[in-house]
Amino acid sequence: MAAWLQLLALVVLVVAAYRPLGRYIAWVFTSPRHLLLERAIYRAAGVNSETEQRWTGYAVSLAAFSATCVLSLYALQRLQAALPLSLGHKAVPPALAFNTAVSFVTNTNWQNYSGEQTVGHLVQVLGLAVQNFTSAAMGMAVAVALIRGLVRSESHKLGNFWVDIVRACVRILLPIAFVAAVFLVSQGVIQNLHGPETVRTLQGSAQAIPGGPVASQEAIKELGTNGGGFFGANSAHPFENPNALTNLVEMFLLLVIPFAFAGAFGRMVGNHRQGHVLAAVMLIFWLGSALLAWHFEAASNPQFPAQVVGGNMEGKEVRFAVPGSALFAASTTGTSTGAVIASHDSFTPFGGGVVLVNIMLSEVTPGGVGSGLYGILVLAILSVFLAGLMVGRTPEYLGKKIEPRDMKLVTLYILLVPAAILTLTAVALVLPSTRASILNPGSHGLSEVLYTFASQANNNGSSFGGLTGNTAFFNIAGALAMLLGRFGSMVLVLALAGSLGAKKPVAPSLGTFPTTTPLFTGLLAGVVVVVTALVYFPALSLGPILEGLAR
């Protein structure tokens, strides 16, 4: 009963925030006025806030800002030993520093290291926490650019990247993260600049208890669908997630903006039902994955058939047990958030398969901050095109005709990430040096490698475990997967936005396929499933499916 009440409370909170937060997000990106703080930032950065950009200029600004962030975060890690608050940590090795810099800038937060044992407080605050804000803001900016492309008529301008990213940080992420951090501190999440304190355990041995600015980073890592843990245990650590209430609030934080962005979309295009359709599809997949993971984890682990009380408790945090772990896993893998409170590697074969598929579902269930919306909009455009082919309707979406150039961009977007995942997985399985990093043989080992690259290319960041990821190959290959999955996809979305924005809208006619009906909702959900199955089913068959059937 407690588990069902937790799920119900989470749904109620997300639904209650959907309309007001969606309205607020729409206002943030459509308001003609700039706040005093925003004007100061524009002057300091030399930005003309009144100038709008074509999609190419928007993409160049995005790339330049991201490259600067990667280089600065890399430098912070390499110079760590000479910086204040390093806590005696050495410089992060080059390959690991590059992987980590790319990881946090791409909103992935993949960690091939244990947080409290590798980086000091200055790198945590000035480097990692700052990127948690800016990477989330970049996703929101690209989503808003695509919305402008859909609503504008014969316009080559998509807005100003610098204005969008500043507004996302100043008006949305910072205020909510501040309130969330204060709440987490009130519940026992630590927030200080202390080094490790040595204490005596009940057995009489010495143990170092780390301190640090945890609450501030925990709030934005969830709100921005980032996920990188201050501690190696991530959100299973009691200093990050002390009790059931903080666990509920953290899940709410990582879900609230992706769902609310669908509401903002409906308001910005002038048709709330358009947003409701997208939110409904997101909700279907999120709830479905949570219930499926709960179902499979409620059974005993095949390796321990006698364990039936409480389900599969291997790798679970006892404070949250199976239901809480399944709900958290479905929420984080569905929102491109790398936070975990349980070891996904210890899930049952089909339970682990659920969270793996959740990552593969084109990051739309409900996806990351901003990225979930532009991902599902791309699939909505594909859906109306397929509907037009099947029933002879004109392929239009929000009054914009979907033409061959648009479909080429949509196709490239859909194939880009799977191509990176499957290619890098194949390379890792072929090379003898990389096979040595796989700790488990057979289908489970395949699942571990597949999960690794799926998590990185889809900018999720959670780890399946059982794989030695801190090697030159996995650090470099993983960084390439993250860059391609994040910025390759963003450039294609911006190109699509530019193409759509230049079009002249056409009035709805008898040949227009309606996109605000339950029929279209079902069609869109079906397209998400079919696209994922066509691309990944062979690999899944050799991984979690084979492992589950073999037992």
Side-chain angles (χ1 to χ4, degrees), residues 3-56:
W4 284 108
L5 288 175
Q6 181 187 47
L7 177 59
L8 178 61
L10 187 56
V11 172
V12 169
L13 287 172
V14 170
V15 171
Y18 169 80
R19 186 178 293 273
L21 184 56
R23 184 187 302 115
Y24 178 71
I25 292 173
W27 171 79
V28 165
F29 291 109
T30 56
S31 173
R33 300 183 60 183
H34 304 293
L35 301 181
L36 184 62
L37 175 59
E38 294 168 350
R39 292 197 191 100
I41 295 173
Y42 301 146
R43 284 196 297 270
V47 171
N48 183 353
S49 59
E50 305 304 322
T51 301
E52 293 203 348
Q53 299 169 300
R54 292 171 174 261
W55 81 262
T56 49

Side-chain angles (χ1 to χ4, degrees), residues 327-339:
L327 181 57
F328 199 96
S331 300
T332 56
T333 55
T335 56
S336 75
T337 309

Side-chain angles (χ1 to χ4, degrees), residues 453-500:
F453 288 115
S455 178
Q456 293 178 97
N458 281 291
N459 307 123
N460 179 265
S462 64
S463 171
F464 210 52
L467 181 74
T468 304
N470 190 16
T471 66
F473 172 83
F474 282 110
N475 279 324
I476 301 301
L480 294 177
M482 290 184 277
L483 288 170
L484 191 62
R486 183 69 166 178
F487 298 119
S489 298
M490 282 183 165
V491 169
L492 291 172
V493 169
L494 290 173
L496 179 61
S499 175
L500 294 171

Side-chain angles (χ1 to χ4, degrees), residues 109-143:
N109 290 33
W110 175 271
Q111 295 174 284
N112 276 332
Y113 63 92
S114 182
E116 71 272 35
Q117 299 176 14
T118 306
V119 294
H121 292 341
L122 188 67
V123 174
Q124 290 276 14
V125 174
L126 189 59
L128 307 185
V130 168
Q131 296 309 316
N132 283 346
F133 282 95
T134 57
S135 64
M138 280 190 278
M140 298 169 78
V142 173

Side-chain angles (χ1 to χ4, degrees), residues 395-468:
E396 300 171 8
Y397 190 62
L398 298 178
K400 298 296 181 73
K401 285 188 176 181
I402 309 304
E403 298 175 322
R405 168 181 164 81
D406 307 316
M407 287 311 304
K408 290 176 183 177
L409 293 170
V410 168
T411 302
L412 287 173
Y413 177 91
I414 292 171
L415 294 179
L416 178 67
V417 170
I421 294 170
L422 297 176
T423 300
L424 291 172
T425 300
V427 171
L429 294 173
V430 167
L431 297 177
S433 60
T434 55
R435 286 204 306 270
S437 298
I438 305 173
L439 303 182
N440 297 291
S443 56
H444 193 79
L446 170 61
S447 296
E448 291 169 351
V449 178
L450 184 62
Y451 192 106
T452 294
F453 288 115
S455 178
Q456 293 178 97
N458 281 291
N459 307 123
N460 179 265
S462 64
S463 171
F464 210 52
L467 181 74
T468 304

